[in-house]
Amino acid sequence: MSALHAIEASRVGDVDLGELLREFDVLAGLDRAAREEILSEALVRDLDYGDTLIRLGAPNRSLYLVLEGKLGVFRQAMATEPVAVVEAGQTVGELSVLERRPAPASVMALEASRVVVFSETAFWRLIDASHAFAARLLKQVSERPRGSDETFTRGAPPRTDYERAAMYDAATAVYNRPWADETIEELAKRDVAFSVVRLEVDDFEKVGAEHGRAASDVLLAKLAALLTRTLRGTDYVARYGSEEFILILPEAKAESAAMVAERVRRALAAVAFETKDGTVLPRVTISAGAAQHETGQGAAELVAKAGAALARAKEAGRNRVERV
């Protein structure tokens, strides 16, 4: 298991994240509803010296704000001296989110550190909702040293609302199937280590039949939020079908991916979702199939393998996880 997997992501707990972020002007200008929505998705990570937060060339879809400690930015895999140091109140990860390219550098903890993890969705919400955050981010990015490497020197304009909307599923606010297929294809072509999990809500049609379409939509949105909270900041979730989601887990082996799916399955079994009018929806379960990318394997084959594992889970009685 890599250092990235060893880093624990947890809910804020006893940390007053709202107060900390206000000190750094991250939440300046946000109304209460927007602030609470963004904070509800935020994760806090504690890093030990030498832990890798972002790996050179790997996908990154998260923005990290340093609360405590120092992070080093390394442009080369074997470099011993960082090209930049990121300290408390500063962010890192924005370039790969803005440009939607593999990370142009590695980021490692130079000492024990604590960071807040914002998903790409939360990142764009902050950009859209807070002029102060957007201006501060632009200033910080413009001051960050850049080398001759093409990934550093070639900028990309911020995404338009249309471009961002094309990446997401409107009903659940997570990525959509075209984005997932493109990302899996990109990872497979680069032959990096990763796994995928396909999961499906068991007997989903019963929810709609008994409570209506609106209740089904609420259930899917709540499940998507639970998935986002359960995963690491470097993992991705996308809606892949009517009642199906797919998880993309960088650097995870099949065993680890199955453990993630099992954690989701147990978390879902322990909660009951409510609609806005207070109607308590019936508890639901999921079936899931995990598969690990093998050297030379195409994206379609990998997704099909995960689908076969999902089918086995359903055939074995549902509410279970299978892997290949």
Side-chain angles (χ1 to χ4, degrees):
M1 182 174 292
S2 69
L4 186 60
H5 279 267
I7 298 171
E8 291 295 329
S10 63
R11 281 279 139 198
V12 176
D14 59 352
V15 178
D16 191 341
L17 187 56
E19 288 299 322
L20 286 171
L21 296 185
R22 273 190 285 274
E23 289 182 16
F24 298 132
D25 294 329
V26 174
L27 302 179
L30 270 66
D31 60 35
R32 180 176 179 179
R35 183 169 62 249
E36 290 182 351
E37 183 176 20
I38 289 171
L39 286 177
S40 70
E41 298 180 2
L43 297 173
V44 170
R45 281 193 172 187
D46 291 314
L47 312 177
D48 293 326
Y49 167 75
D51 280 343
T52 299
L53 184 65
I54 300 175
R55 195 174 300 279
L56 173 65
N60 173 61
R61 300 291 184 266
S62 298
L63 173 74
Y64 302 92
L65 170 71
V66 181
L67 293 179
E68 303 170 5
K70 294 181 181 180
L71 307 179
V73 180
F74 297 86
R75 194 174 299 143
Q76 297 179 356
M78 301 302 292
T80 57
E81 294 295 327
V83 297
V85 175
V86 185
E87 300 181 324
Q90 296 181 315
T91 57
V92 69
E94 57 277 300
L95 285 177
S96 47
V97 176
L98 284 168
E99 299 178 1
R100 202 177 175 225
R101 302 181 188 277
S106 290
V107 179
M108 299 176 62
L110 300 179
E111 61 187 45
S113 303
R114 171 170 283 189
V115 301
V116 182
V117 185
F118 295 104
S119 67
E120 184 175 12
T121 303
F123 171 82
W124 286 113
R125 284 175 183 159
L126 281 167
I127 291 288
D128 292 337
S130 173
H131 176 269
F133 174 79
R136 180 173 165 277
L137 182 66
L138 179 61
K139 180 176 184 295
Q140 182 170 307
V141 171
S142 67
E143 293 175 346
R144 185 157 296 160
R146 297 184 178 218
S148 59
D149 183 88
E150 182 186 19
T151 309
F152 275 77
T153 58
R154 179 178 55 199
R159 294 181 181 276
T160 64
D161 291 341
Y162 176 80
E163 289 173 322
R164 294 202 296 274
M167 298 165 55
Y168 294 102
D169 174 65
T172 60
V174 297
Y175 293 114
N176 56 26
R177 180 165 185 157
W179 181 92
D181 285 337
E182 180 183 338
T183 300
I184 295 170
E185 184 71 33
E186 175 187 332
L187 291 172
K189 285 181 178 178
R190 291 174 46 227
D191 223 14
V192 298
F194 73 103
S195 291
V196 299
V197 174
R198 294 180 64 175
L199 60 88
E200 189 173 293
V201 180
D202 297 327
D203 300 318
F204 178 70
E205 65 280 356
K206 291 183 179 179
V207 178
E210 296 176 5
H211 299 276
R213 172 66 181 275
S216 298
D217 290 343
V218 169
L219 173 62
L220 291 174
K222 297 281 190 181
L223 174 56
L226 184 148
L227 289 169
T228 301
R229 292 195 303 270
T230 305
L231 300 181
R232 301 169 302 162
T234 50
D235 298 330
Y236 315 110
V237 56
R239 188 178 180 186
Y240 211 62
S242 176
E243 64 265 34
E244 183 181 351
F245 292 84
I246 192 165
L247 313 181
I248 305 173
L249 312 175
E251 299 190 0
K253 294 184 178 180
E255 296 87 348
S256 298
M259 290 174 62
V260 170
E262 178 62 20
R263 188 164 69 244
V264 170
R265 189 192 68 79
R266 292 183 180 182
L268 181 61
V271 299
F273 299 132
E274 294 184 10
T275 61
K276 289 184 178 180
D277 64 5
T279 301
V280 179
L281 299 178
R283 293 180 185 270
V284 296
T285 60
I286 59 167
S287 299
Q292 176 182 337
H293 176 255
E294 304 293 344
T295 301
Q297 186 178 55
E301 182 182 355
L302 173 62
V303 172
K305 282 175 58 180
L310 169 60
R312 287 206 309 273
K314 294 166 65 175
E315 292 169 359
R318 303 179 186 270
N319 191 24
R320 60 186 294 124
V321 177
E322 295 286 343
R323 64 178 174 88
V324 292

